[in-house]
Amino acid sequence: MQFDREAFLRETDRILHAEYETDLRSATNKELYNALSRAVMGLCWEDWSKERRTQKKRCGYFSAEFLMGRAIFSNLLNLGLLEDAREALSSVQRDLNDFEEVEDAALGNGGLGRLAACYLESAASMNIPLDGYGIRYRYGLFRQTFVDGYQHEEGDDWTKWGDPWSVRVERDAVIVSFADQKVRAVPYDMPIFGYRNGVVNTLRLWASEPVQEFDFAAFNEMHGEHTAQENFAATKITDVLYPNDNTMVGKILRLRQQYFMVSASLQDIMRKQKEKGADLRELDRAYCFQLNDTHPVIAIPELLRLLQAEGLTFEEAFGVCSRCFNFTNHTILAEALEKWDALALSDILPNVFREIEKCQQRLQAEGQGDKFYIIRDNVVHMANLAIYVSARVNGVAEIHTNILKRETFRDWYERTPEKFVNITNGITPRRWMLLNNPKMVAQIDSRIGTAWHTDLKRLQEMKGHIEDMLPVFGAIKRENKQKLADYIRVHEGVELSPDFIFDVQVKRLHEYKRQLLNAFSILYFYYAIKDGEITDFPPTAFIFGAKAAPGYYNAKGIIKYINEIAKLVNADEQVSKFMKVVFVQNYNVSYAEKIVCAADVSEQISLAGMEASGTSNMKFMLNGTVTLGTLDGANVEICEEAGRENNYIFGATVEEVAAIKQFYCPREIAEGNHKLKRVLETLVNGTFSDDKGMLRHIYDSLLNDYNPDRFLVLYDFADYVRVKEQLLRDYGTQDFDRKCLVNMASVGKFSADRSVTDYNELIWKLNG
Ligand code: 26Q
């Protein structure tokens, strides 16, 4: 894109005058942010509307979550304007870095939402016509602080600085009807800029508003009183993101959110098709839809309903749906597979429920017995509905897809094996390397050029330069660590030295991810140092970041526990020479950008068979970090690509887990390992303060539960500590840095560019 600094500054200045009666010099950071962003939007307007006018087939990525993070830097990067904008601002004594205060758009919980964001960016960069459809939550994922070591949650007002990257499209508003409620859905479009290729796709997020102010006819149709209460109920639908990750909460408001978003999106798409005069029987020639887990699966009966309302028969409509919809599963945890109470569903969406019943009848008419069902015992199984109707079903890593085929959806797989495909997750190298690690990028570019920016496999070419890169790699990693340490000093009040190993575990707090295993190992090392058993512990900073779902008691207990460990360790004069522990508050996308380029060790220690893929593992790998992990999720493929010898693998394999669980007795393990036992006892013996009794609850879940230590923390403990100690002792050698660089050079497969290309070739078949 042509950039004329003077014209750009003039335009920003003009907006400042018009909107805020101020100018480049005296505008507040917030005013400047809005004006500059709007000026950039102005530059891209034409490319954006051009994309929307094209006649090519498009895919709609339907997702309840888009964890976008901060838009401004990544948009400027992709448009090729980052340095221009920085210089333009500094010529008027302003600093682009001041925009680091802009809130993240945290309209997602974790991996599934961030994956959606990476895929939008990669699709635009690969010139694949993919658009996102979701919900414009008024409040995103809660802001987290710690009070006395306990997690506290506050509302996340993500548009506090304004929302200059969205455009409200009034003319595309639609009405969404529930049995007891009609609401207006208004779309807000965000441009998704491809990396320096002029492509602009769209993320369309729907906000709910009351109908009456706008449409009195619709208002009058709804008999009865319309009160302020109802207005409130309408806006409430998109008020807040449910803060659960990998756990199901059967809240009816969540069902309303899901239906609201898919009904609005499908009405919008149908209207456009009709305006074009297209035959709705051939909808699949113009569109297909990727269902991001079960959350948007209610789109299937909704499209059936809408198509029949336009005159198609059920069978015709079913045919269209079975060619349009595809389903991605992101989780094997039984408690995260979405189910709805049939009575509740039929109460608020009777017409939609009827379509689900027709699907059920159609399935049963195929005469394969009761192995296959969508509704059973008055429960609607959304995953089964999705598999039955979709053209393709995919898992997100090899091991995950295999588990889906062999266990979770075994019968379905045997019924229609051709539907099941694997598409291993990926991350966008733009946000996760070009943006957050520019000095490393410059070193790589000077050796192998820049083609790898959009073709990550070509990082392989670095392999011939590893020896020569060793010194600069170490120096840049150290600088990144210093920057992170500075940030942590200011925001967390903990002093870290860049001479320490940075051992990092950042991800949602969940028992299956086993932050507790990490915590136990730290206490184990702590006591070994105290007792004089280890006198030469390699100085290590153990860094955690995680949010716990507000209703997830044990997860919150684990945060408290690690914060107590941090207090103990950091205050200990003898031990803190060798280790520090910090749990950063409010871990989010922007924090992650600072962390992944400053880590020496990436902890990926879920119980084998539990983590569908993981994606932070890929971000660390890209930035030159070794994985300390189990053979779970994408770790398996990371080892295939980078070599197991260049990572640190421990623990039971997925094949072993099933056998172990049959006779598992965690108490025996604790009794047989007095050092582990001593660590465990800190949960109950008063070592740590815990007014709320949370730590005891963790203890009981490990030893006294009906099904104790579900995630084999105690089983894997000894092997984990052994491998972790080996890793920490290897650190500082050239061999260790070589491993880091081999990982970086081998990361190609995990580019989201490859993932979306796979989706397109195997499933969407766009641009064809
Ligand atoms: C379901 C029903 C009711 C309420 C909440 C939910 C719910 C919400 C969020 C269920 C699951 C999620 C999120 C799942 C998720 O983030 N899964 C992660 O997806 C990543 C991208 O594929 C994988 O890398 C991770 O392994 C997986 O945990």
Side-chain angles (χ1 to χ4, degrees):
M1 178 169 305
Q2 261 320 85
F3 185 83
D4 174 343
R5 181 194 295 179
E6 288 311 312
F8 176 67
L9 283 174
R10 263 201 313 281
E11 176 61 4
T12 305
D13 202 44
R14 187 192 66 75
I15 298 173
L16 283 170
H17 277 281
E19 299 283 323
Y20 308 104
E21 296 185 335
T22 183
D23 59 29
L24 283 166
R25 271 161 222 279
S26 26
T28 63
N29 286 338
K30 190 168 148 180
E31 288 163 344
L32 185 63
Y33 163 70
N34 279 280
L36 179 139
S37 306
R38 284 301 185 185
V40 175
M41 287 281 265
L43 290 177
C44 308
W45 197 254
E46 247 172 65
D47 283 341
W48 198 6
S49 45
K50 185 183 72 202
E51 183 67 30
R52 295 195 229 207
R53 281 197 306 270
T54 59
Q55 293 294 310
K56 44 191 176 190
K57 175 173 171 181
R58 305 189 73 84
C59 177
Y61 199 85
F62 283 9
S63 178
E65 304 192 8
F66 288 92
L67 187 42
M68 302 301 285
R70 211 181 270 138
I72 181 152
F73 301 118
S74 122
N75 284 352
L76 290 172
L77 175 79
N78 281 19
L79 293 165
L81 300 179
L82 189 57
E83 289 322 308
D84 292 323
R86 197 183 297 286
E87 283 162 26
L89 283 195
S90 78
S91 75
V92 290
Q93 284 79 53
R94 303 294 306 237
D95 187 352
L96 195 67
N97 289 341
D98 288 339
F99 301 152
E100 292 218 3
E101 280 172 56
V102 177
E103 306 287 325
D104 276 23
L107 309 184
N109 275 289
L112 165 152
R114 182 55 231 174
L115 189 79
C118 279
Y119 283 3
L120 292 184
E121 195 277 345
S122 274
S125 297
M126 296 293 106
N127 192 16
I128 295 172
L130 177 74
D131 297 314
Y133 290 86
I135 299 174
R136 188 171 191 273
Y137 300 106
R138 177 71 195 78
Y139 295 94
L141 184 60
F142 64 86
R143 286 183 70 86
Q144 175 199 55
T145 60
F146 297 145
V147 179
D148 188 27
Y150 292 107
Q151 168 174 295
H152 272 234
E153 301 101 25
E154 291 160 31
D156 164 57
D157 184 6
W158 67 279
T159 59
K160 202 155 69 195
W161 276 61
D163 182 18
W165 300 102
S166 294
V167 182
R168 183 181 163 103
V169 189
E170 203 70 47
R171 68 175 173 283
D172 282 356
V174 295
I175 303 288
V176 175
S177 301
F178 301 87
D180 56 350
Q181 187 184 27
K182 273 190 201 303
V183 296
R184 186 162 177 257
V186 185
Y188 287 71
D189 287 354
M190 286 184 190
I192 305 293
F193 301 114
Y195 184 67
R196 301 184 187 183
N197 64 357
V199 174
V200 191
N201 289 339
T202 301
L203 169 57
R204 170 158 280 200
L205 299 178
W206 299 92
S208 65
E209 295 183 2
V211 161
Q212 31 292 49
E213 288 160 23
F214 153 80
D215 180 353
F216 272 95
F219 168 61
N220 288 332
E221 254 176 52
M222 306 258 309
H223 319 285
E225 286 295 298
H226 291 268
T227 58
Q229 193 97 41
E230 260 184 25
N231 266 346
F232 176 71
T235 45
K236 214 176 119 167
I237 291 180
T238 56
D239 255 8
V240 60
L241 167 76
Y242 274 98
N244 299 292
D245 179 278
N246 274 304
T247 31
M248 152 96 190
V249 283
K251 286 281 181 343
I252 285 300
L253 183 57
R254 207 180 133 86
L255 178 61
R256 285 189 200 270
Q257 288 185 337
Q258 297 178 351
Y259 180 68
F260 170 81
M261 123 186 144
V262 302
S263 177
S265 306
L266 290 170
Q267 288 186 57
D268 180 36
I269 285 164
M270 297 255 300
R271 180 158 75 192
K272 285 185 183 139
Q273 279 304 99
K274 287 200 302 196
E275 279 167 11
K276 276 199 262 171
D279 183 352
L280 292 172
R281 284 171 190 80
E282 296 181 345
L283 184 67
D284 55 295
R285 289 171 63 157
Y287 286 98
C288 63
F289 308 112
Q290 193 67 38
L291 301 171
N292 201 23
D293 217 289
T294 48
H295 321 151
V297 166
I298 196 113
I300 293 174
E302 174 64 357
L303 185 57
L304 287 171
R305 188 186 72 83
L306 289 168
L307 289 171
Q308 288 169 85
E310 295 296 329
L312 275 70
T313 66
F314 176 77
E315 277 307 314
E316 284 173 331
F318 192 93
V320 172
C321 286
S322 67
R323 281 171 273 132
C324 281
F325 284 110
N326 305 288
F327 169 59
T328 307
N329 170 279
H330 295 266
T331 183
I332 11 205
L333 294 182
E335 64 258 38
L337 285 181
E338 203 154 29
K339 301 173 187 74
W340 293 110
D341 178 71
L343 293 175
L345 210 159
S346 66
D347 260 1
I348 66 166
L349 296 168
N351 303 330
V352 174
F353 183 70
R354 219 159 289 135
E355 300 306 321
I356 299 176
E357 283 182 318
K358 287 192 221 163
C359 291
Q360 163 94 345
Q361 281 157 14
R362 189 180 191 280
L363 172 61
Q364 274 169 355
E366 291 173 23
Q368 290 159 28
D370 47 13
K371 254 205 307 203
F372 299 100
Y373 55 87
I374 294 162
I375 309 171
R376 195 170 75 175
D377 299 335
N378 274 317
V379 176
V380 183
H381 296 254
M382 301 309 278
N384 292 356
L385 174 60
I387 299 170
Y388 178 51
V389 181
S390 292
R392 291 278 182 277
V393 176
N394 78 284
V396 291
E398 291 288 356
I399 186 177
H400 170 59
T401 302
N402 287 334
I403 292 171
L404 294 182
K405 291 179 182 174
R406 283 206 290 262
E407 288 163 39
T408 324
F409 300 133
R410 179 185 180 148
D411 293 336
W412 290 97
Y413 172 62
E414 284 169 359
R415 179 177 172 275
T416 48
E418 69 285 355
K419 278 193 187 184
F420 286 75
V421 294
N422 173 252
I423 300 189
T424 298
N425 281 169
I427 56 165
T428 166
R430 270 74 62 185
R431 184 180 290 266
W432 298 110
M433 181 75 153
L434 301 198
L435 197 59
N436 68 335
N437 205 350
K439 292 210 170 141
M440 199 71 82
V441 171
Q443 287 299 330
I444 300 168
D445 289 354
S446 74
R447 289 170 174 82
I448 64 168
T450 60
W452 64 276
H453 297 181
T454 50
D455 185 3
L456 201 59
K457 284 250 155 88
R458 295 192 58 176
L459 257 191
Q460 295 239 33
E461 295 164 21
M462 250 181 73
K463 285 187 177 155
H465 300 271
I466 286 182
E467 293 309 310
D468 134 71
M469 268 195 76
L470 284 170
V472 286
F473 173 78
I476 294 167
K477 179 66 78 67
R478 194 174 194 289
E479 241 182 80
N480 293 342
K481 288 166 73 173
Q482 181 66 60
K483 272 198 196 148
L484 178 62
D486 292 342
Y487 192 86
I488 287 179
R489 183 186 334 101
V490 172
H491 290 85
E492 319 300 338
V494 176
E495 193 76 48
L496 300 182
S497 160
D499 295 329
F500 276 40
I501 305 168
F502 281 17
D503 177 314
V504 180
Q505 187 173 17
V506 288
K507 49 185 77 265
R508 283 298 288 254
L509 205 311
H510 210 295
E511 285 161 286
Y512 84 78
K513 295 179 189 277
R514 300 200 295 191
Q515 282 95 349
L516 196 53
L517 180 57
N518 191 349
F520 285 165
S521 77
I522 294 168
L523 270 181
Y524 170 92
F525 292 132
Y526 171 83
Y527 286 124
I529 296 169
K530 283 303 271 183
D531 294 350
E533 274 173 30
I534 300 184
T535 52
D536 57 348
F537 192 74
T540 305
F542 298 100
I543 300 170
F544 292 86
K547 290 179 180 178
Y552 188 173
Y553 193 77
N554 258 359
K556 290 182 133 178
I558 292 167
I559 290 180
K560 168 67 173 172
Y561 186 51
I562 294 170
N563 276 324
E564 286 297 314
I565 294 172
K567 205 161 74 180
L568 175 77
V569 168
N570 299 348
D572 188 307
E573 246 184 72
Q574 178 201 355
V575 177
S576 61
K577 291 195 198 93
F578 299 104
M579 59 198 244
K580 285 278 184 78
V581 180
V582 58
F583 205 131
V584 306
Q585 299 171 83
N586 203 43
Y587 172 66
N588 60 10
V589 171
S590 290
Y591 222 138
E593 290 167 17
K594 297 180 180 11
I595 289 173
V596 295
C597 61
D600 298 305
V601 184
S602 153
E603 299 253 7
Q604 308 296 341
I605 60 178
S606 53
L607 174 62
M610 303 304 291
E611 189 70 272
S613 161
T615 41
S616 76
N617 45 2
M618 303 168 183
K619 295 163 197 166
F620 286 110
M621 183 187 188
L622 172 57
N623 284 272
T625 305
V626 299
T627 297
L628 168 56
T630 49
L631 285 178
D632 198 15
N635 299 352
V636 176
E637 289 157 80
I638 286 177
C639 286
E640 279 167 18
E641 297 296 304
R644 188 165 165 163
E645 68 284 4
N646 292 309
N647 288 290
Y648 292 84
I649 302 303
F650 72 94
T653 62
V654 67
E655 291 81 14
E656 288 160 358
V657 167
I660 294 161
K661 276 187 174 167
Q662 290 204 301
F663 306 101
Y664 187 45
C665 179
R667 203 163 265 286
E668 246 167 52
I669 295 182
E671 293 306 328
N673 181 339
H674 69 276
K675 291 183 185 168
L676 170 58
K677 184 154 190 226
R678 179 178 183 189
V679 168
L680 272 169
E681 293 303 313
T682 62
L683 286 163
V684 289
N685 66 9
T687 305
F688 300 124
S689 85
D690 174 29
D691 331 331
K692 306 194 183 176
M694 283 184 156
L695 304 190
R696 172 163 299 275
H697 199 266
I698 299 171
Y699 184 85
D700 286 338
S701 72
L702 291 172
L703 294 173
N704 299 326
D705 228 48
Y706 168 68
N707 179 8
D709 191 14
R710 283 207 297 152
F711 302 108
L712 306 190
V713 173
L714 305 194
Y715 184 90
D716 274 346
F717 178 78
D719 201 31
Y720 176 56
V721 170
R722 180 184 66 78
V723 173
K724 191 166 186 171
E725 200 172 343
Q726 182 62 55
L727 185 164
L728 298 180
R729 295 204 179 279
D730 288 354
Y731 179 83
T733 62
Q734 284 216 332
D735 244 21
F736 187 89
D737 280 8
R738 249 179 233 122
K739 290 182 183 181
C740 294
L741 284 167
V742 171
N743 271 284
M744 189 191 283
S746 312
V747 77
K749 176 175 185 185
F750 306 106
S751 171
D753 299 347
R754 189 273 310 151
S755 306
V756 295
T757 305
D758 283 359
Y759 274 96
N760 194 26
E761 282 171 6
L762 290 170
I763 305 179
W764 307 331
K765 305 197 189 318
L766 313 173
N767 320 321

